[in-house]
């Protein structure tokens, strides 16, 4: 039996707006701008935690520390940041019981009540920006540009959902076919929802795993990644500060060794009615198969192999910049990252030159105003990408930017590499690299480009670069992808736009009205006059 410590009310972390000049135990002492290394300002920590801390779970509106823990290691220096409470099957059952209890009242709240919670949460995101930036940087190595991108998406998502919740909740009264009969179509929440979210864009991906289900009257169990528990703690903290009732959102993290047992316990429980998952296709396949065994619906955003097609009439400088950013933002650790660049032969030389110059500028050292060498979350993706490059080079691929054999002093950093002459027998042709590598292909026509773009199991995002909108739209209609962005990078997300993939990139949609409608089921009621 493990000991559970519930933080007493008089020592709970207070909202950032009520912090006194004296540091309350367990609270960040400042929300001011972070230093370049993400540690502190004027010697005062931005974090609610230090190396002696244990990050609690959120269960039934309380912060619960467990005696079973795991170390959270920073990719920046491989040092232990703190410990995190490690949930087991019994903790999962407690989270379910809490969510079941809260569902009875939360499902009956008015859309305006939920709207106001989300509006206050949006303000919480603004006020705690620097604290959240600290967690993202120290836990995942996210550059400031990446954090700004995804944190703003999370803020906008709160506003978007708040604005759409009334519309998404409207029931209808279609005209019944038989004389004297009437019909009503109601929208009802599913019940308790399981959200499983990743580490790579933890603020927006963590938020969307519970925000849209909550908006439609469901309660949620959020299973977060072991790499970013403080970030997920902060998400739940902000929602509770905003007035979310106890039990509506319960958070769990666990040791990797316990992933199968905890996840199976959650999926198999009769009270879990629907699941959303964002992560790798391999893990998504396991979760979908388990959910299918119990006939439970899922929303899934999985891996990607995003193509960028550069036509001969493209603005080459724009295409080069957008492809560089799309491929290497956050070290390529984004499911929408550009993995294949398909360039028309007529502009191939010009594009190579522009891409090389752009890469030199964008990834110049910090001192030169660039992003520096990309930081990855662990050494494992570095090893994976080097193996993909080694296989490709051994089979005839050539590097046109970067050195496939280069090694950094840090095992969690890797310089960008662009390779050419990639063939279908090379592992990198089919495998999502999820790292700082991209393949360039020279094509003779739009049809050839579309053929290569579609020659993959994935279909999440894509780009087309052309100055002819009609041409861009024609190509966009042929690409098998959940999204096509004309003259902008493949990494594109907006709170109001439905987001999701086709093929092995997943099914269902997040964001916008379609994202909200995923979390209600319809009930038909008929009656006779």
């Amino acid at each position: 039996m493990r000991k559970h410590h519930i933080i007493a009310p008089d020592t709970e972390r207070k909202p950032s707006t009520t912090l006194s000049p004296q540091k309350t135990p367990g609270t960040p002492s400042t929300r001011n701008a972070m230093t370049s290394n993400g540690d502190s300002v004027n010697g005062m920590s931005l974090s609610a935690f230090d190396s002696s801390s244990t990050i609690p779970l959120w269960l039934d509106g309380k912060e619960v520390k467990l005696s079973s823990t795991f170390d959270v290691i920073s990719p920046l220096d491989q040092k232990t940041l703190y410990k995190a409470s490690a949930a087991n099957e019994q903790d999962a059952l407690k989270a379910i019981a809490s969510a079941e209890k809260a569902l009875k009242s939360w499902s009956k709240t008015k859309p305006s009540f939920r709207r106001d919670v989300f509006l206050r949460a949006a303000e919480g995101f603004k006020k705690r920006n620097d604290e959240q930036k600290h967690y993202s940087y120290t836990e995942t190595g996210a550059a400031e540009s990446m954090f700004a991108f995804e944190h703003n998406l999370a803020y906008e998502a709160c506003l978007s959902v708040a604005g759409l919740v009334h519309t998404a909740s409207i029931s209808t009264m279609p005209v019944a076919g038989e004389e004297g009969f009437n019909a009503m179509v109601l929208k009802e929440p599913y019940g308790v929802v399981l959200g499983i979210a990743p580490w790579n864009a933890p603020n927006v991906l963590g938020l969307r795993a519970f925000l849209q289900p909550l908006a439609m009257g469901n309660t949620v169990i959020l299973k977060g990644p072991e790499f970013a528990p403080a970030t997920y703690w902060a998400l739940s903290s902000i929602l509770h500060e905003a007035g979310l009732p106890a039990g509506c959102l319960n958070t769990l993290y666990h040791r990797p060794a316990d992933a199968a047992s905890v996840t199976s316990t959650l999926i198999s429980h009769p009270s879990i009615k629907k699941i959303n998952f964002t992560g790798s296709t391999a893990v998504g396949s396991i979760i979908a198969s388990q959910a299918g065994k119990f006939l439970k619906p899922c929303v899934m955003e999985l891996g990607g192999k995003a193509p960028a097609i550069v036509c001969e009439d493209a603005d080459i400088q724009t295409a080069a910049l957008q492809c560089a950013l799309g491929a290497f933002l956050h070290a390529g650790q984004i499911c929408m990252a550009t993995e294949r660049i398909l360039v028309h032969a007529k502009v191939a030389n010009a594009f190579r030159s522009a891409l090389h110059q752009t890469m030199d500028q964008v990834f110049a050292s910090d001192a030169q105003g660039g992003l520096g060498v990309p930081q990855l979350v662990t050494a494992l993706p570095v090893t994976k990408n080097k193996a993909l490059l080694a296989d490709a080079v051994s089979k005839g691929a050539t590097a046109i930017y970067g050195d496939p054999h280069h090694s950094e002093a840090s095992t969690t950093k890797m310089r960008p590499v662009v390779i050419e002459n990639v063939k279908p027998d090379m592992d990198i042709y089919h495998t999502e690299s999820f790292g700082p590598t991209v393949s360039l292909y020279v094509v003779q026509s739009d049809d050839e480009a579309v053929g290569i773009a579609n020659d993959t199991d994935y279909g999440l995002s894509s780009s087309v670069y052309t100055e002819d909108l009609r041409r861009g739209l024609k190509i966009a209609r042929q690409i098998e992808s959940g999204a096509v962005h004309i003259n902008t990078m493949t990494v594109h997300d907006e709170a109001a736009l439905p987001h999701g993939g086709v093929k092995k990139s997943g099914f269902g949609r997040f964001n916008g009205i379609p994202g909200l409608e995923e979390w209600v089921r319809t009930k038909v009621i008929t009656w006779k006059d």
Side-chain angles (χ1 to χ4, degrees):
M1 182 69 67
R2 298 180 302 165
K3 294 182 180 179
H4 294 62
H5 173 62
I6 299 177
I7 300 174
D10 60 339
T11 60
E12 283 186 349
R13 294 173 177 85
K14 305 298 192 297
S16 60
T17 53
T18 61
L19 288 174
S20 63
Q22 297 296 320
K23 185 179 179 182
T24 303
T27 61
S29 56
T30 178
R31 307 283 188 208
N32 295 326
M34 185 170 55
T35 57
S36 59
N37 64 7
D39 291 333
S40 62
V41 175
N42 299 325
M44 303 171 72
S45 176
L46 287 163
S47 176
F49 309 100
D50 58 30
S51 59
S52 65
S53 300
T54 296
I55 299 176
L57 310 178
W58 282 92
L59 293 174
D60 205 27
K62 301 180 180 66
E63 299 179 67
V64 178
K65 292 182 181 179
L66 306 180
S67 59
S68 295
T69 63
F70 59 88
D71 291 339
V72 181
I73 309 297
S74 175
L76 304 176
D77 53 15
Q78 287 74 57
K79 292 182 180 179
T80 300
L81 293 168
Y82 25 68
K83 294 182 181 297
S85 296
N88 64 13
E89 296 95 323
Q90 295 305 311
D91 301 304
L93 294 175
K94 290 177 181 178
I96 292 171
S98 173
E100 282 183 305
K101 182 175 65 174
L103 179 67
K104 297 176 183 178
S105 57
W106 179 252
S107 62
K108 294 180 175 60
T109 57
K110 299 297 183 183
S112 58
F113 180 85
R114 289 173 245 150
R115 175 202 64 198
D116 291 346
V117 170
F118 303 143
L119 290 175
R120 290 191 294 267
E123 290 306 304
F125 269 87
K126 290 175 65 176
K127 292 171 184 174
R128 296 177 65 171
N129 176 85
D130 296 320
E131 178 194 0
Q132 291 178 282
K133 188 192 319 184
H134 175 88
Y135 297 142
S136 290
Y137 179 66
T138 57
E139 289 188 329
T140 71
E144 186 165 353
S145 57
M146 177 61 188
F147 170 80
F149 168 74
E150 63 122 356
H151 189 264
N152 182 64
L153 281 175
Y155 168 75
E156 292 291 340
C158 288
L159 299 181
S160 176
V161 168
L164 293 174
V165 64
H166 275 92
T167 300
S169 302
I170 294 174
S171 298
T172 58
M173 291 189 68
V175 177
E178 187 175 341
E179 192 68 35
F181 266 78
N182 300 276
M184 179 184 298
V185 180
L186 302 181
K187 295 180 180 179
E188 298 181 338
Y190 275 88
V192 180
V193 166
L194 171 61
I196 306 175
W199 56 265
N200 60 317
N203 291 286
V204 66
L205 299 185
L207 181 75
R208 77 178 191 187
F210 63 80
L211 184 68
Q212 292 161 342
L214 284 175
M216 303 311 292
N218 304 275
T219 55
V220 182
I221 297 166
L222 174 65
K223 196 172 82 70
E226 67 271 17
F227 291 141
T231 303
Y232 278 69
W233 166 85
L235 291 176
S236 189
S237 174
I238 288 171
L239 266 292
H240 283 93
E241 288 177 357
L244 186 69
C248 292
L249 174 61
N250 301 276
T251 60
L252 301 172
Y253 0 87
H254 50 68
R255 292 171 297 194
D258 296 328
S261 60
V262 172
T263 305
S264 296
T265 297
L266 291 164
I267 292 174
S268 64
H269 197 283
S271 292
I272 299 294
K273 302 301 184 184
K274 192 168 182 176
I275 301 151
N276 72 68
F277 172 79
T278 301
S280 71
T281 295
V283 176
S285 176
I286 295 170
I287 291 172
S289 65
Q290 290 187 354
K293 179 181 177 181
F294 299 99
L295 296 178
K296 296 184 179 182
C298 299
V299 177
M300 293 200 162
E301 188 212 309
L302 306 175
K305 193 72 179 169
I309 296 176
V310 183
C311 301
E312 73 267 29
D313 66 340
D315 181 319
I316 297 300
Q317 294 300 323
T318 295
L321 176 60
Q322 295 298 309
C323 286
L325 293 174
F328 300 113
L329 180 68
H330 201 28
Q333 299 171 122
I334 303 173
C335 49
M336 298 175 284
T338 303
E339 296 248 347
R340 295 168 295 159
I341 304 172
L342 312 168
V343 186
H344 197 282
K346 291 182 180 178
V347 294
N349 288 335
F351 180 83
R352 289 190 195 96
S353 176
L355 182 64
H356 199 289
Q357 294 174 5
T358 300
M359 294 289 295
D360 284 345
Q361 294 173 357
V362 172
F363 293 97
S365 67
D366 294 339
Q368 296 173 310
L371 296 177
V373 180
Q375 172 72 59
L376 290 91
V377 70
T378 67
L380 187 61
V382 175
T383 302
K384 173 186 175 180
N385 276 262
K386 286 185 175 294
L388 290 173
L389 291 171
D391 173 78
V393 170
S394 71
K395 296 174 180 175
T398 55
I400 62 171
Y401 186 89
D403 180 2
H405 306 292
H406 179 80
S407 294
E408 287 291 308
S410 170
T411 59
T412 59
K413 286 190 172 185
M414 181 178 170
R415 295 178 182 271
V417 177
V418 183
I419 59 173
E420 198 172 342
N421 302 317
V422 174
K423 306 299 181 185
D425 65 333
M426 301 174 184
D427 292 341
I428 201 169
Y429 184 91
H430 300 285
T431 303
E432 179 187 26
S433 69
F434 210 67
T437 59
V438 69
S439 304
L440 188 146
Y441 302 78
V442 177
V443 296
Q444 301 297 324
S445 67
D446 292 350
D447 288 342
E448 184 184 358
V450 170
I452 297 174
N454 290 338
D455 188 19
T456 174
D457 288 337
Y458 298 104
L460 184 61
S461 185
S462 55
S463 285
V464 179
Y465 298 92
T466 175
E467 293 298 282
D468 183 346
L469 182 58
R470 289 177 299 178
R471 181 181 192 175
L473 291 172
K474 180 182 178 181
I475 294 173
R477 288 179 179 275
Q478 297 176 70
I479 298 176
E480 297 168 352
S481 176
V484 183
H485 307 292
I486 299 175
N487 293 329
T488 59
M489 64 176 166
T490 57
V491 180
H492 188 111
D493 197 4
E494 294 184 34
L497 298 179
H499 181 74
V502 300
K503 299 192 284 190
K504 289 187 179 180
S505 286
F507 40 80
R509 291 296 181 264
F510 293 96
N511 298 351
I513 289 290
L516 290 170
E517 290 178 339
E518 290 281 1
W519 302 106
V520 288
R521 51 193 176 195
T522 57
K523 176 185 287 183
V524 173
I525 300 175
T526 65
W527 68 96
K528 191 173 183 179
D529 288 339

